[in-house]
Amino acid sequence: MNIRRRKFDALIIGAGGGGLRAALQLARADAQVAVVSKVFPTRSHTVAAQGGVNAALANVTPDNWHWHMYDTVKGSDWLGDQDAIEYMCRAAPRAVYELEHFGVPFSRLADGHIYQRAFGGQSRNFGGEQATRTCAAADRTGHAILHSLYQQNIRARTHFFDEYFAIDLVCDGEGAVLGAVAMEIETGEPILIEAKTTLLATGGAGQLFRTTTNALINTGDGMAMALRAGIPLQDMEFFQFHPTGIAGKGMLITEGVRGEGGYLINADGERFMERYAPNAKDLASRDVVSRAIAIEVREGRGCGPARDHVLLKLDHLGPDVILKRLPGIRDLAMTFLHIDPIEQPIPVYPTAHYTMGGIPTNRFGQVVVPEMQSPEEAVEGLYAAGECACVSVHGANRLGGNSLLDILVFGRAAANHIIAYLKDHRYHRPLNEESVDRALARLARWDEPGDGERVEDIRAELKKVMETHCGVFREQTVLAEGVEKVKALAERMQDVRLRDTSKTFNTARVEAMELENLIDIALATVQSALARTESRGAHSRIDYPERDDQNWMKHSLYFRDGTLDYKPVRIKPLTVESFPPKVRVY
Amino acid sequence: MTSPADTGDRQAPERQQVYWQCRRGMLELDILLQDFFHRAWDGLDAAERACFVRLLDYPDAVLFELLMGHATSADGELASVIEKIRSDPDP
Ligand SMILES: Cc1cc2nc3c(=O)[nH]c(=O)nc-3n(C[C@H](O)[C@H](O)[C@H](O)COP(=O)(O)OP(=O)(O)OC[C@H]3O[C@@H](n4cnc5c(N)ncnc54)[C@H](O)[C@@H]3O)c2cc1C
């Protein structure tokens, strides 16, 4: 078919921190780089990260990368790959200093060094005292990183395709990836971007769940594109939830509220955490609190007309404490619920926060798949980095401050590998035009007018099904039902038609394609969760409450045809001794 | 949570363009802006629409401060549209 075509050395899909860090490295190495983003680059989700980025700079308390590595392995519940984790923790200080050079205005200590704050899961001396490892630019770290990287890319002449929606990867006859077909949202016209190398940096998939902290753009498009290209998704059952999101909306209410003495109550006004965790009560670990809330709701003790949430009570703290120590939380409640927590409790429910799983890669950012005898063969020309990838440094559970680090370190690493690859591969290879036609057919499908099912109905149902059947309350029957329900939604998706099939700025088409992506990823998530009969990190099964290293210290790989495969965790680091599995207690 | 983009009618492209500009990097902004868009856009006069579009040009972090009432814009005309966004009758 006759469509607009462009050629580049490297195509980067996604303009968050991961994509922009990679693009900058490439542009500075004089590669011709194109970055495609469905929203204006500085509106990528990285902007939401407020807490900061981890690096063992030891500016506040003693620290070193090896302690950081230990914490990350332990945080991952021993599902993280120790070679990638060592690489990331060693590279962290440099990644932060680079950001400083790019213009990120890090907050400062009195002595002029970069300010660092303490986060959960950070320790000195392999599990000892609290460490202070998170570098922050006030509470705008993500914003500062994204804007600095964007400016640097403009200076380095990276080519941006803003408000272009990537549809599918294209390849040659041998499976090498050679770019992608995208749609210009403004005109609705497709474009073929051919590239010697393609990097997926499309972020996470929080929109799978009804209650999520993730922005609407986080629909896991890159993961679904990989699936459709025959690549499995790794460890999708591991999704991090935060126990207290604003019910029905998702925004995070920090643990600080419970730290100050706030507590949870059910419809009977009972302080139910006393039953689940008699000692720690409301300050029990995140997974325990999340599950307790889900159980209260399941057993009919939820609050509100739909009995679908519990309440976080803090009025007893008094106006002084709330105004002085929790002003941001009060603002959130007032703005989004029109509730003043000085007088009324806040409706909360566990909220989906971070996608640990994703496109399998090695520590060079190359996408790897099982082939013949090898569990990790690189797919030629294809790379992935950031939240859409699974390298895997977060394993079964991500530590706060480690994902900004992940996107920077592996965005850069992928770019370095691409630069080397480009030296040996100077020419564009011929495309398999069939792969282009397939991508175009996916777009054309939305031109058929009609009166079928509606995107928004299926999306709402999908998010509800995922929350109920693959949220924090997981056991065999619930998950098995979830699989059937998502499959039924996938069936119904065939009958979805758009009422408005016009081209110019038809955002409904974009939302329809996003929903297709979400459905594929939902299947990957719920099927992987059903298969894993143990509890590890964020995946906790009521019916299999223990971690089972004997049978399950392995990565899941889900293929689009519904089959699952597994591959070993890489427990051998690069230069140090490996950290053998232990019970994970804090 | 958000209203459908596919309302059945052929939408004016400018309207849909503004709708897409309401997609942001932060969930808080998505909710405030899209809810306001669906609730109010069709009833805004030309001057108010221009204000809303100007507001959308701010970077996310600044927009968040403005909409949460933590900061005020030097552009005085934006105050009333910000107030309207904040006063969602049905949060
Ligand atoms: C509220 C919140 C707070 C957080 N705070 C922290 C923190 O303090 N520290 C920390 O380390 N981590 C934090 N995280 C996690 C961290 O922000 C993310 O994991 C990280 O920013 C992801 O970056 P990314 O580059 O992978 O993707 P993103 O920043 O999500 O960017 C994805 C890009 O892909 C583009 N894209 C997606 N699909 C398509 C498509 N089909 N076509 C074209 N373009 C597409 C988007 O337009 C966007 O440019 C937080 C997360 C949340 C939700």
Side-chain angles (χ1 to χ4, degrees), chain A residues 48-255:
Chain A
Q50 299 187 329
V53 48
N54 292 342
L57 303 181
N59 290 351
V60 176
T61 53
D63 207 358
N64 68 59
W65 67 262
H66 202 191
W67 299 349
H68 183 186
M69 175 181 172
Y70 170 80
D71 290 340
T72 306
V73 172
K74 176 180 171 187
S76 81
D77 219 352
W78 279 271
L79 194 74
D81 286 340
Q82 296 195 21
D83 56 345
I85 295 176
E86 176 179 343
Y87 179 80
M88 178 178 82
C89 296
R90 291 180 85 122
R94 176 185 176 151
V96 168
Y97 296 136
E98 276 176 350
L99 287 179
E100 199 178 18
H101 290 293
F102 297 154
V104 173
F106 281 109
S107 304
R108 298 282 158 184
L109 295 161
D111 65 5
H113 286 106
I114 290 175
Y115 164 81
Q116 297 191 278
R117 53 171 66 121
F119 260 30
Q122 302 180 345
S123 78
R124 295 185 229 174
N125 244 322
F126 313 107
E129 281 171 89
Q130 174 76 43
T132 315
R133 192 174 290 145
T134 308
C135 310
D139 59 357
R140 287 187 182 189
T141 312
H143 164 88
I145 292 175
L146 204 56
H147 279 256
S148 302
L149 287 174
Y150 182 63
Q151 291 307 331
Q152 294 292 342
N153 269 291
I154 294 290
R155 222 177 278 170
R157 297 179 188 279
T158 297
H159 187 98
F160 282 96
F161 290 93
D162 294 342
E163 299 189 339
Y164 278 68
F165 182 84
I167 297 173
D168 257 329
L169 298 169
V170 295
C171 51
D172 69 4
E174 270 112 62
V177 171
L178 299 174
V181 170
M183 177 186 84
E184 182 178 22
I185 297 174
E186 182 178 357
T187 59
E189 293 302 331
I191 178 173
L192 169 62
I193 304 177
E194 286 184 67
K196 297 169 197 160
T197 53
T198 304
L199 170 73
L200 291 165
T202 47
Q207 284 299 317
L208 277 177
F209 298 93
R210 188 178 68 120
T211 310
T212 174
T213 61
N214 283 199
L216 297 178
I217 39 179
N218 287 18
T219 50
D221 300 344
M223 297 177 193
M225 286 164 64
L227 265 184
R228 284 192 296 269
I231 292 153
L233 294 182
Q234 182 174 323
D235 295 341
M236 289 304 286
E237 62 272 41
F238 297 99
F239 213 105
Q240 190 171 67
F241 286 82
H242 192 288
T244 53
I246 292 186
K249 309 241 172 186
M251 289 77 87
L252 214 84
I253 303 287
T254 68
E255 254 122 16

Side-chain angles (χ1 to χ4, degrees), chain B residues 9 62 77:
Chain B
D9 307 323
V62 180
E77 286 176 0

Side-chain angles (χ1 to χ4, degrees), chain A residues 323-388:
Chain A
L323 290 172
K324 210 184 286 160
R325 307 228 196 99
L326 304 166
I329 294 307
R330 180 166 180 253
D331 285 348
L332 275 183
M334 306 241 295
T335 306
F336 290 98
L337 299 164
H338 292 197
I339 279 178
D340 185 347
I342 291 179
E343 285 152 14
Q344 265 178 288
I346 308 175
V348 294
Y349 196 77
T351 184
H353 192 45
Y354 186 84
T355 321
M356 263 85 67
I359 306 157
T361 73
N362 60 21
R363 71 190 155 85
F364 307 105
Q366 292 178 286
V367 172
V368 289
V369 295
E371 223 178 76
M372 312 290 272
Q373 298 308 317
S374 156
E376 301 190 322
E377 274 304 306
V379 176
E380 185 146 11
L382 186 62
Y383 296 76
E387 197 169 331
C388 73

Side-chain angles (χ1 to χ4, degrees), chain A residues 265-297:
Chain A
I265 54 174
N266 61 20
D268 307 328
E270 182 204 6
R271 185 172 180 184
F272 59 85
M273 279 313 300
E274 290 178 339
R275 260 189 288 122
Y276 295 89
N279 295 320
K281 296 183 186 132
D282 297 83
L283 289 174
S285 64
R286 284 185 182 182
D287 58 322
V288 172
V289 180
S290 296
R291 210 161 41 242
I293 295 173
I295 292 174
E296 289 303 297
V297 167

Side-chain angles (χ1 to χ4, degrees), chain B residues 27-68:
Chain B
L27 177 71
E28 290 84 347
L29 297 177
D30 280 340
I31 293 180
L32 286 171
L33 296 171
Q34 293 205 0
D35 282 359
F36 175 75
F37 178 83
H38 291 300
R39 176 174 90 234
W41 175 262
D42 291 335
L44 297 182
D45 63 29
E48 288 171 319
R49 285 185 180 185
C51 276
F52 184 60
V53 169
R54 239 174 27 243
L55 186 69
L56 294 177
D57 273 343
Y58 278 99
D60 284 29
V62 180
L63 199 47
F64 182 71
E65 297 291 301
L66 291 173
L67 294 182
M68 294 300 290

